């Protein structure tokens, strides 16, 4: 079965950096694009970033462009999100999400890892 | 990039039908058939219910259906059941190569 397990969340001070990682299993990772989606406390979903199956194409939400970098390692079945210049507005649960191939939607979600930006 | 517009809440009695709307622009919903819907129970990760406007993934009951007209998409749930009570989010791909979500709709089964 498809499993996506996020790690790396925690409490971080404003302006600092943090790296999230997602370990994928139960499917052929190298054939699927991946996303990160976040959800602030008591708030709705916000798409954050996309990476194509081979890592050659990356898209970002305006709110994180220039601060966040998405990457993947198809040999290790992992996708990372490097976050820098963090602010309180980045406080959220971050979900690793599999792309439903060529359907522009999100078919499998991890359980999320919580990032809290606070001094 | 503003979020897609959804009603904050809808409600219905068991067995009834409800519809949740999701309004965007010609740069997202109106320009593509890349609209999807997600169900989220409290404390849980979202679950895909509809993709490409009208398609149901395997395992999703046929009580759930999707449609689109112009810049507005809709999710209809017929024969409401208690377990349908949850938050529902729409999503669309956009002309900027990004994805937008709606603000979410809380469905209450009375």
């Amino acid at each position: 079965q498809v499993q996506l397990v996020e790690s790396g969340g925690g409490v971080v001070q404003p302006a600092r950096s943090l790296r999230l990682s997602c370990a994928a299993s139960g499917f052929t990772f190298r054939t699927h694009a991946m996303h990160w989606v976040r959800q602030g406390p008591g708030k709705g979903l916000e798409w954050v970033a996309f990476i194509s199956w081979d890592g050659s194409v990356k898209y970002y939400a305006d709110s994180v462009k220039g601060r966040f970098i998405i990457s993947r390692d198809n040999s290790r079945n992992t996708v990372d999100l490097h976050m820098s210049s963090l602010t309180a507005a980045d406080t959220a649960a971050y979900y690793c999400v599999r792309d439903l191939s060529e359907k522009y939607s999100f078919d499998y979600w991890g359980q999320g890892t919580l990032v809290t930006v606070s001094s | 990039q503003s979020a897609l517009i959804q009603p904050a809440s809808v409600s219905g009695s068991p067995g009834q039908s409800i519809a949740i709307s999701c309004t965007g622009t010609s740069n997202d919903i109106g320009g593509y058939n890349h609209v999807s819907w997600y169900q989220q129970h409290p404390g849980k990760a979202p679950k895909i219910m509809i993709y490409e406007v009208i398609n149901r993934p395997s395992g999703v009951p046929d009580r759930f259906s999707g449609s689109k007209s112009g810049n507005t998409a809709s999710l209809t749930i017929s024969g409401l059941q208690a377990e349908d009570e949850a938050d529902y989010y729409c999503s669309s791909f956009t002309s900027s190569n990004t994805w937008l979500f709606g603000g979410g709709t809380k469905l209450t089964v009375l």
Side-chain angles (χ1 to χ4, degrees):
Chain A
Q1 69 284 17
V2 173
Q3 282 198 320
L4 300 167
V5 180
E6 304 94 339
S7 61
V11 180
V12 59
Q13 293 180 327
R16 301 298 291 266
S17 299
L18 196 66
R19 186 189 80 170
L20 304 182
S21 189
C22 170
S25 61
F27 65 102
T28 306
F29 180 73
R30 65 180 181 275
T31 65
H32 282 267
M34 298 294 294
H35 303 259
W36 286 94
V37 175
R38 69 184 181 183
Q39 186 170 33
K43 296 187 178 180
L45 301 171
E46 180 187 13
W47 173 80
V48 173
F50 162 93
I51 187 167
S52 61
W53 63 274
D54 63 350
S56 64
V57 179
K58 302 176 184 181
Y59 302 132
Y60 299 93
D62 285 348
S63 58
V64 307
K65 198 174 296 182
R67 299 188 302 121
F68 289 13
I69 297 174
I70 189 171
S71 61
R72 66 187 296 157
D73 184 338
N74 285 346
S75 67
R76 295 172 55 235
N77 289 359
T78 59
V79 56
D80 289 354
L81 186 68
H82 299 254
M83 307 183 295
S84 62
S85 302
L86 287 163
T87 73
D90 297 312
T91 294
Y94 284 75
Y95 293 100
C96 173
V97 187
R98 193 180 83 165
D99 185 80
L100 179 54
S101 295
E102 300 180 6
K103 304 301 183 186
Y104 299 85
S105 54
F106 318 105
D107 64 347
Y108 284 94
W109 299 62
Q111 284 306 301
T113 187
L114 182 61
V115 173
T116 302
V117 183
S118 173
S119 55
Chain B
Q1 295 170 323
S2 300
L4 305 173
I5 305 299
Q6 297 182 234
S9 63
V10 298
S11 62
S13 300
Q16 288 187 331
S17 294
I18 63 94
I20 300 172
S21 62
C22 174
T23 301
T25 70
S26 58
N27 293 321
D28 37 71
I29 292 176
Y32 306 91
N33 285 327
H34 301 322
V35 178
S36 50
W37 290 89
Y38 303 86
Q39 176 191 67
Q40 186 179 33
H41 287 108
K44 300 292 188 181
K47 172 187 175 183
I48 187 170
M49 305 302 285
I50 296 286
Y51 66 93
E52 299 282 84
V53 179
I54 60 171
N55 296 290
R56 274 187 316 275
S58 61
V60 173
D62 60 6
R63 303 184 294 103
F64 291 83
S65 63
S67 62
K68 189 186 87 166
S69 177
N71 297 338
T72 298
S74 296
L75 173 71
T76 299
I77 309 174
S78 58
L80 268 179
Q81 299 182 4
E83 60 261 35
D84 298 334
E85 184 163 295
D87 293 327
Y88 290 84
Y89 294 90
C90 60
S91 175
S92 177
F93 181 70
T94 84
S95 59
S96 300
N97 291 324
T98 61
W99 281 259
L100 283 178
F101 281 98
T105 298
K106 181 177 179 61
L107 169 62
T108 300
V109 180
L110 302 169

